[in-house]
Structure formats: structure tokens, C-alpha cells
Amino acid sequence: MFIDISNLKKSYTSGVVITEVLKGIEMKIDKGEIGVILGPSGSGKSTLMNIIGGIDRGDSGRVIVDGIEVNNLNDDKLTDYRREHIGVVFQFYNLVPNLTVGENIEVVSNISKSPLKNTDDVLAAVEMQDKKHRFPRELSGGEQQRVSLARAIVKNPKLLLCDEPTGALDYQTSRSILRLLELVNKKFGTTILMITHNAAIAAMANRVFKLRSGQIVEDVVNQGIVPAE
Ligand code: ADP
Ligand code: ADP
């Protein structure tokens, strides 16, 4: 079991109001799977992903990722965990605007302990090798997301977390990003967990966890991502 979460709970307190955001999450994902967390706004998707990615902590319960008990790590160990194991892709790409495509990737590979891939390899993997010297503003949204994916995989993460990776893209471009995610998954064996509120996107993944008000209400197994034409 690559991700093994049991009875994970998380509340936020503001003033005297306590909001229980995660109410005992159970989630198991095998190594090499592509999982999707699907749910309406406010259902706890980002909170769950932030805990798995080590940028937030659960209040109670168990979160094990690749044998590491994430909830029990001290702050330094949690930072190491994020750096060594986790790659992230965001909805709005988050590329550094005054760095070229190549430099955006080198910033990450230079501080990584085990950059198993070099800049040219990852750019080739996302079919962006000819844009290495361009700046993010010169690229379309889909192209920026490809670069952001290349940046996430250059450090060879065991787990790739994607928060609404296609949320700002049209349907065809979304399909091509999903096809690339599947390619990364197949080629490098990277386990992928992706947030979406789009049911059509979720239907393309091979595991779908439906979240409602802090609970997994359904765990669906699909055939996998449908390749874009
Ligand atoms: P989703 O990603 O599904 O939209 P979130 O995990 O972002 O849901 O949020 C779930 C609930 O937790 C929301 O009601 C949100 O307002 C609340 N919440 C999220 N982060 C915080 C925080 N840092 N402080 C207080 N409440 C928060
Ligand atoms: P899409 O069809 O994906 O929306 P665009 O029409 O935005 O793509 O861009 C098409 C091509 O033009 C892309 O290859 C992109 O690199 C290039 N391009 C877009 N904007 C600029 C720009 N400001 N300067 C240079 N090249 C650009």
C-alpha cells in the first residue's frame, strides 16, 4: 500500500466556531495508481491533499505515504519529506515569470537531492524541448502547465500531487495534460493524486474518491485515462 490513510480528522477553529473539515478519512492507494479526489467546493479536497503533501497536519488518525508516517514527523523531517518525495502541480502553473522555461526547471533540479532526470529529458517528456529558452508569458496555458509538470517531475518524486491541474484549461488541452500525466505515471512509475471538481475529468482516472463534507462517500475503480486524439 503506497498511501494508507485511516480515520484522519481535521478541524479548523476560528473564534468559538470549530469546523470539522475531515471527519475520519479512509483512503488506500497502491503504488503506480492514478487517483482522483472529486468533490464540491468546501468538501475538504485541498485540506486532505495538503496533509498528504506535508504542508498541513491532521489532528488525529494515521497518514502513511510510502512507509512514512507523515503525521508524526517533526517540522524538519516534514520539510525533507516534501522535498524528497512530493511533486506538485497547481491550477495556475506558478512558474517564475522572469525565468525561462529551462531555468524554471533548473531551480528545482539544482536543490533536489536526487534529480534523476535532467532539464532536457523532462522537457522532452512533456514535448516542450523547443521552448526551453522562452519565458512563461510567451506560452499558452496548456504549454505552461506542461512546463509546470516537467518541473514537478524533474526531482523524481514518488508522489505527484495535482490541484485542479486542468481547471484553467479547455477540454482538449485538459485531455492532453491528462495524457501526459498518464505517460509520466507509466514511464517513471510515479503515483499520482489529483484534485478536480470536474466529473468528466475524474472519469478519465483509474481511481476516484468522492468526497462530501469531509467524508469519502464513494471509491470507484475506472478503466483509466482515455487518450486524447
Ligand atoms: P475544497 O478543496 O474541497 O474546496 P478545502 O479543503 O479547501 O475544500 O476547505 C474545506 C473547508 O475547510 C472549507 O469550509 C474551508 O472554509 C475550511 N478551511 C480550509 N482551510 C482553512 C483554514 N486554514 N482555516 C479555516 N478554515 C479553513
Ligand atoms: P493555445 O491554442 O494553446 O491557446 P496560443 O494560441 O496561446 O495557444 O499560442 C499558440 C502558440 O503561440 C504557442 O506555441 C505559444 O508558444 C505561442 N505564443 C503565444 N503567445 C506568445 C507570445 N506572447 N510570444 C511568443 N509566442 C507566443
Side-chain angles (χ1 to χ4, degrees), residues 175-194:
R175 296 266 305 251
S176 79
I177 293 293
L178 290 168
R179 186 183 57 79
L180 279 176
L181 287 171
E182 192 181 41
L183 193 130
V184 164
N185 165 264
K186 289 271 183 312
K187 193 167 174 189
F188 305 119
T190 317
T191 308
I192 298 178
L193 189 59
M194 182 168 23

Side-chain angles (χ1 to χ4, degrees), residues 1-228:
M1 200 61 60
F2 186 74
I3 298 178
D4 189 352
I5 299 175
S6 58
N7 204 20
L8 172 64
K9 294 184 179 172
K10 173 78 179 176
S11 299
Y12 289 111
T13 308
S14 72
V16 292
V17 182
I18 299 172
T19 313
E20 198 177 18
V21 177
L22 300 178
K23 303 172 183 168
I25 297 287
E26 305 284 331
M27 185 185 236
K28 295 184 194 332
I29 300 181
D30 280 328
K31 192 163 177 56
E33 281 194 302
I34 298 179
V36 160
I37 304 172
L38 177 71
S41 189
S43 57
K45 302 185 296 295
S46 300
T47 303
L48 175 57
M49 189 168 270
N50 289 346
I51 293 171
I52 295 171
I55 61 172
D56 201 352
R57 289 175 188 278
D59 299 333
S60 63
R62 214 179 49 174
V63 179
I64 297 175
V65 178
D66 198 25
I68 300 167
E69 201 146 355
V70 180
N71 238 359
N72 288 350
L73 298 176
N74 65 31
D75 287 352
D76 286 348
K77 287 272 190 321
L78 200 63
T79 304
D80 289 345
Y81 163 78
R82 275 199 307 271
R83 286 204 184 133
E84 287 167 31
H85 296 274
I86 308 295
V88 281
V89 172
F90 303 98
Q91 178 173 2
F92 296 109
Y93 332 123
N94 294 30
L95 298 171
V96 182
N98 58 340
L99 298 182
T100 63
V101 163
E103 289 165 349
N104 262 282
I105 290 164
E106 278 149 23
V107 162
V108 174
S109 58
N110 287 344
I111 59 163
S112 171
K113 275 190 188 160
S114 53
L116 292 189
K117 307 175 209 38
N118 66 37
T119 300
D120 293 322
D121 289 344
V122 287
L123 283 177
V126 299
E127 296 158 18
M128 287 291 290
Q129 56 273 52
D130 54 332
K131 302 282 164 84
K132 186 177 176 183
H133 303 292
R134 299 292 197 93
F135 287 91
R137 64 174 174 276
E138 299 174 317
L139 306 178
S140 71
E143 290 172 331
Q144 289 188 62
Q145 196 59 301
R146 283 167 187 257
V147 175
S148 138
L149 179 55
R151 179 183 56 179
I153 62 175
V154 74
K155 66 174 178 178
N156 202 32
K158 288 179 180 160
L159 177 61
L160 182 59
L161 299 176
C162 310
D163 192 345
E164 298 272 3
T166 62
L169 303 173
D170 63 51
Y171 184 72
Q172 274 311 321
T173 312
S174 298
R175 296 266 305 251
S176 79
I177 293 293
L178 290 168
R179 186 183 57 79
L180 279 176
L181 287 171
E182 192 181 41
L183 193 130
V184 164
N185 165 264
K186 289 271 183 312
K187 193 167 174 189
F188 305 119
T190 317
T191 308
I192 298 178
L193 189 59
M194 182 168 23
I195 286 182
T196 186
H197 59 237
N198 184 326
I201 300 293
M204 298 172 186
N206 54 20
R207 282 293 286 287
V208 182
F209 300 89
K210 291 192 183 168
L211 200 57
R212 292 278 181 286
S213 317
Q215 280 177 313
I216 305 277
V217 292
E218 221 181 315
D219 179 349
V220 188
V221 181
N222 285 334
Q223 313 142 284
I225 290 173
V226 182

